[in-house]
Each structure stands twice: as C-alpha cells, then as structure tokens.
C-alpha cells in the first residue's frame, strides 16, 4: 500500500530514511524475540516449583513451563502490522517493478492499488495456511510423550 501512496518512493530517494527504517525493522524482531525469551524465563521457575519432590524412579520429571495463552487478536495484528510496515523492501519492489505494468493515461493510484491488493490477498491466504498448519503441529508437539522423548534423548532434566 505504501507503494501506491508514495512513502516507498520517498524511502527509495532518501538513503538516510531508508536506512533508519531498515534498522528499526531489524531491531523489531529482536525486541519480539527478547520479549518471548523473557516471558519463558519468568515462567520457568514457576514450572520448576510445580514439579515438587518425590519423583519416581522412572526418570526425572520433564519440566513443563507454564503454557502461555493465545496472543490477543489486537496485539497479534499490531505486531504483524508493525513487522510489515518496518520492512521497506516490499514497497521498494513495487516502486521498482510496478511502473512497467501501469496502463498509459490511467490513474497511477488505481493502477498501483490493484496489484498491491492481489499481493495482499495471496499473502493473507498463505499466512492463514501457515497458521492453520502451525497450530496442528503445535498441538502435537505439546503432547507429554512428544515433549518427554527429546528431553530423555538429550539428557535434559
């Protein structure tokens, strides 16, 4: 969408602005990863205290960190939107490739919005497929037997 309204073209012309967006865009996933690690670190001591004493001789109990609830839809949307907006390469792609597909004498805005909308629909379909498959895989990976076997194989506690 930024390609249609001009900010992507402005970023292409202003090297400092493009570099700033790239740096902030690189730092944002690091921030999200740090938040995820911090949340896991906070939940690990609680999971360890829940194990308690009196483990049987069948082996050590597998620490099960407290399961984080699902991300609120508004927060998930905000994180995804920020991640996309801080990725200037997509907008620059449309600025670089798009003009050759624009019809002569027609509105540049309208001619640019159509390919962007098609791309957004394809991306949304793909991401919905990824989310659906990831949810199924995650449910299988959270089963106690699946979690216990890698711990045993790697010597984990």
């Amino acid at each position: 969408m930024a390609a249609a309204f001009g900010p992507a073209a402005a970023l292409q012309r202003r090297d400092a602005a493009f570099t700033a967006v790239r740096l902030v865009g690189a730092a944002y996933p690091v921030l999200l990863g740090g938040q995820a690690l911090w949340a896991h670190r906070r939940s690990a001591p609680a999971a360890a205290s829940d194990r308690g004493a009196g483990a049987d001789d069948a082996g050590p109990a597998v620490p099960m960190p407290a399961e984080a609830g699902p991300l609120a839809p508004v927060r998930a949307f905000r994180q995804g939107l920020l991640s996309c907006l801080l990725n200037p390469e997509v907008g620059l792609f449309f600025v670089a490739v798009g003009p050759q597909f624009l019809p002569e004498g027609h509105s540049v805005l309208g001619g640019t919005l159509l390919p962007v909308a098609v791309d957004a629909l394809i991306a949304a379909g793909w991401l919905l497929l990824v989310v659906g498959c990831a949810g199924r895989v995650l449910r299988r990976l959270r089963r106690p037997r699946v979690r216990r076997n890698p711990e045993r194989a790697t010597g984990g506690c």
Side-chain angles (χ1 to χ4, degrees):
M1 294 297 255
F5 293 105
L11 284 177
Q12 185 182 26
R13 291 189 190 102
R14 305 274 188 234
D15 191 40
F18 179 69
T19 301
V21 170
R22 279 183 42 219
L23 291 174
V24 173
Y28 184 65
V30 173
L31 173 72
L32 291 177
Q35 288 175 345
L37 288 173
W38 184 254
H40 175 72
R41 186 178 184 140
R42 283 189 308 208
S43 68
S49 66
D50 288 346
R51 276 187 302 184
D56 59 3
D57 292 339
V62 177
M64 300 289 184
E67 297 295 335
L71 198 58
V74 172
R75 186 172 180 204
F77 179 78
R78 185 180 68 231
Q79 287 180 355
L81 181 65
L82 275 173
S83 180
C84 287
L85 290 177
L86 294 174
N87 183 2
E89 284 83 11
V90 175
L92 292 179
F93 171 78
F94 280 106
V95 168
V97 176
Q100 64 186 341
F101 298 106
L102 294 177
E104 283 290 323
H106 287 81
S107 167
V108 173
L109 180 64
T112 306
L113 282 178
L114 178 63
V116 169
V118 169
D119 180 60
L121 285 173
I122 291 171
W126 168 251
L127 292 175
L128 286 172
L129 179 67
V130 168
V131 166
C133 291
R136 288 182 178 168
V137 169
L138 187 60
R139 280 192 297 275
R140 289 178 188 240
L141 291 176
R142 284 186 173 164
R143 293 185 302 188
R145 183 176 177 186
V146 174
R147 293 177 89 166
R148 186 173 46 247
N149 289 336
E151 290 293 327
R152 288 180 179 165
T154 59
C157 298

